[in-house]
Structures are given as C-alpha cells and as structure tokens.
Amino acid sequence: MSTSGPLLFGVPLKYVSLIVLTVQNSMLVLVMHYSRIVSDVRYFTSTAVLLSELTKLFVCLYLCARESKAESGRLNMRQVYTDVFGGDSWKMLIPAGLYTIQNNLQYVAVSLLDAATFQVTYQLKILTTALCSVLLLSTSLGTMRWVSLCALTLGIILVQLPASPSSADTVVSGGASSKLMGLVSVLTACMLSGLAGVYFEKVLKGSRKSVWTRNVQLSLFSLPPALFGVLVVDGAGVSSLGFFSGYTRWTIAAISLQAFGGLLVAVVVKYADNILKGFATSISIVLSCLVSVWLFDFHITKPFVLGTGLVVYATYMYGKYSSPSPPAKAASALPMSSNTRPTDEYADSDADTANSESVPLSDLV
C-alpha cells in the first residue's frame, strides 16, 4: 500500500476517507429512520433541522476563526464578520432556502419509507445534479457517465416495484399512499439537492472565499426558513407539546450525524478520488440494506436486489469516468445578478476549485 500523501495514525488519508464516507453514509440513513420509529411520540422534524443548522453554524464559525488566525497570526473577528456578511454573501440565500426544504423532506421521506429503499432512491440526486450541471454550467459528462445515469434510473425504478405485503416496513402504516408520499418527498429532495448543489458550486467557483466561510453563510441564511418551519408549520404542536417533544438519544444522534457528517466528509474526502468516493457510496448502500434486514425486518426481493446492484454499479462507474473539467463558458452560464449533510475538492485551493468537476453537494451541507 502506497504511503504517499498525508497520513493519519500511519494510514493514508484517502483510505481513512473511504472508511469515514462509508460509515457516515450508512449510519445517517439508518439512524434517521430509527429515530422516527423508536418512540410512540414523534419529534417535530422542523426542530431537528433547526438544531442541525445551528450546530453547523457554530462549527463553521469556529473553523473560520481558526482559518483567520492561521492567516494573520491572531484572531481577527472583524475580518471574519466582513468575510461572512460582506461582498456577495447574499448569493447564498437561494441554496440556503433550498437545502432547508430538502432537509425537511429527507425526514419526511425516511419516516414513510424503509431505510433501504430511501438509501437507494436518494442516489437519484446524482442524476438531478448531473442534469442541473449540464443545463446551468454546460458541463460535458461523456458517454459512460450518461450510461451510468441511465443504469441508475433503471435501478431505482426496479427498487420501487411492489413487493409482497409482508415486506412492508412497520413505519409505513398508511400502505401505498404513505409510500407514494415518501417517494414524492425523496424525489423532490433529490431535485432540490441537484439545483442547490450546482448553484453552490457556481458560487464557490466564482469566489475566493473559503469553503468554511461559505458554509457559515449557508447555515446562517438557513436559520430563517428553518425557524419558519418550527413556528408556522409545526407551531401549534411545538407550543402545546414543547420544542423537544419526542426527542430520544437517537434523535440527537441523527441531528449530530447530519450536522457533523457533511463537514467531516468535506475535510477528508478531498484526499480521495472519485472512484473511492463512488466505492464508499456503493458499500454504504449494501450495508444499509443488510442492516435494514436485521433491524427493521426488511424483506429483500429479486427486483430490489437487481435494482440495488444497478445503482451500486452506476454510482461506481459515474465516479470512475469523471470529466476532467467543465468548459470555459460555464463561468457565465448562470446569472448571478439576481449552500451539510456539502464540492468536496473545494477545500484545496482556488486553483483546484476552478478545475474541479460537478459532483453532488448535498452531503456537504
């Protein structure tokens, strides 16, 4: 095994990142799902989203302060304030709103679908991100990546084929209508993830601000819509039952994984290539399915196995045949006069950022 590049406890960081990605991707879906069924009293998802954004905000503020201190030799909070609120900070309003809606929809979908189906279906965000990249950034994908996207779509369709009644998850008490609502929620979340991710990528590529500064802006501007969800959407329930009604240790774990997972991945994944990232995602899908059989009495069918295999293959191949760089005209493709769970390579440098490819960003923020 080659030891070139940064090491952590004597292990190359690219292999550490593979393990971290696999564990984080698998645990997030399983813990989110379990946190919604472990108690008879369900917590309000809007409160979980708000706490997640607050956690990310404080963590990113700390990282911005450390970054400022490393550059100037002392902590300059005035400079941090200027970086966060000055210039083009308003550009983060759009992805912040989209990501907040997406995070709420994730909780809705994971409540109505079994963990394995949600995990596989949510990979459709690769397709939506690719389509948004082509339409908004004029990104060239190449033949093999289009083949991978077609295989991904076919695999997700196979996963949704009806199974026997005994395979229904206990949380899906409403039958077909609940599953339909869950599918609509996850598909909408995928579309919002693709649009917000590409917009966030565009902002990062056109700016010299660090990825942590942008994440502070993203989390900060996510607070108003998240607070709107608490006060308006779930306001009556929160007022009568309390903000932390239905919370368990699994709720706290889900919030923590959603808040810290993407930030952690943003740090370590820059040392891994797209093949390793796709490999990690593929392993996490398989692990989620296997654990769902054990924890949630999930029944695997032949269409599900075939569909999952196609999704795993498509995810791996999409990363393997990554495009070297988007065309030069991408810089003006999206008008700018009008944001976690986070591209991964943007933490390297501005030069690297300018040449990085379009990849899903929803895990980062």
Side-chain angles (χ1 to χ4, degrees):
M1 180 172 59
S2 174
T3 59
S4 60
L7 302 176
L8 182 64
F9 303 115
V11 181
L13 268 179
K14 70 175 183 178
Y15 296 112
V16 175
S17 67
L18 171 64
I19 299 173
V20 171
L21 276 173
T22 303
V23 173
Q24 192 269 339
N25 285 342
S26 301
M27 287 189 61
L28 177 59
V29 175
L30 294 170
V31 172
M32 283 180 64
H33 181 75
Y34 191 68
S35 71
R36 299 295 290 158
I37 66 173
V38 68
S39 175
D40 293 334
V41 180
R42 287 190 176 183
Y43 60 88
F44 299 104
T45 59
S46 59
T47 63
V49 172
L50 178 62
L51 290 178
S52 177
E53 294 302 330
L54 281 171
T55 304
K56 285 190 285 188
L57 175 61
F58 289 129
V59 172
C60 289
L61 273 174
Y62 169 74
L63 293 171
C64 278
R66 284 197 58 178
E67 195 174 56
S68 176
K69 185 177 181 180
E71 291 176 355
S72 60
R74 63 185 181 88
L75 180 59
N76 189 344
M77 291 306 298
R78 182 182 294 274
Q79 183 61 44
V80 174
Y81 179 88
T82 301
D83 289 341
V84 172
F85 292 100
D88 59 355
S89 60
W90 57 269
K91 293 178 180 178
M92 304 308 294
L93 287 170
I94 295 177
L98 294 176
Y99 277 129
T100 303
I101 299 173
Q102 174 208 333
N103 289 335
N104 278 281
L105 288 173
Q106 278 185 287
Y107 276 102
V108 173
V110 84
S111 303
L112 298 174
L113 299 173
D114 56 77
T117 300
F118 173 83
Q119 175 78 313
V120 176
T121 307
Y122 195 56
Q123 300 311 310
L124 196 64
K125 65 185 179 180
I126 298 175
L127 174 62
T128 58
T129 302
L131 293 177
C132 288
S133 297
V134 171
L135 295 175
L136 300 179
L137 299 179
S138 300
T139 303
S140 178
L141 297 181
T143 303
M144 288 306 300
R145 296 188 97 182
W146 281 115
V147 171
S148 299
L149 292 175
C150 291
L152 175 74
T153 305
L154 177 60
I156 290 175
I157 291 174
L158 288 173
V159 167
Q160 306 309 326
L161 291 179
S164 60
S166 62
S167 65
D169 192 273
T170 55
V171 71
V172 189
S173 56
S177 61
S178 293
K179 182 173 182 179
L180 177 61
M181 181 65 69
L183 291 177
V184 171
S185 298
V186 73
L187 292 176
T188 305
C190 287
M191 288 187 287
L192 293 177
S193 172
L195 180 59
V198 171
Y199 190 99
F200 190 31
E201 176 183 349
K202 172 61 183 174
V203 173
L204 284 173
K205 285 185 175 181
S207 171
R208 298 187 65 85
K209 292 184 179 179
S210 72
V211 67
W212 301 122
T213 300
R214 288 303 188 186
N215 272 282
V216 168
Q217 296 171 339
L218 198 62
S219 296
L220 188 64
F221 294 145
S222 294
L223 294 182
L227 191 60
F228 176 85
V230 175
L231 297 178
V232 178
V233 178
D234 295 324
V238 171
S239 177
S240 61
L241 299 176
F243 186 92
F244 295 102
S245 174
Y247 271 55
T248 65
R249 59 182 179 179
W250 294 104
T251 311
I252 303 301
I255 294 171
S256 301
L257 280 171
Q258 190 174 46
F260 289 104
L263 299 175
L264 181 62
V265 169
V267 176
V268 298
V269 77
K270 65 179 180 178
Y271 298 107
D273 56 25
N274 283 293
I275 297 178
L276 282 179
K277 286 187 287 183
F279 188 54
T281 303
S282 301
I283 295 177
S284 69
I285 293 173
V286 175
L287 287 178
S288 295
C289 295
L290 293 178
V291 175
S292 292
V293 174
W294 175 51
L295 287 181
F296 308 125
D297 195 28
F298 176 72
H299 294 263
I300 297 180
T301 63
K302 290 181 179 179
F304 187 91
V305 172
L306 181 57
T308 301
L310 278 173
V311 171
V312 169
Y313 171 78
T315 303
Y316 174 78
M317 296 302 289
Y318 187 85
K320 181 177 181 180
Y321 290 96
S322 58
S323 304
S325 64
K329 65 178 181 179
S332 59
L334 182 63
M336 299 303 293
S337 57
S338 355
N339 222 297
T340 96
R341 105 97 87 317
T343 56
D344 304 323
E345 292 82 9
Y346 291 146
D348 288 329
S349 67
D350 291 323
D352 292 336
T353 296
N355 293 320
S356 62
E357 59 167 318
S358 302
V359 296
L361 292 163
S362 57
D363 295 333
L364 206 163
V365 291

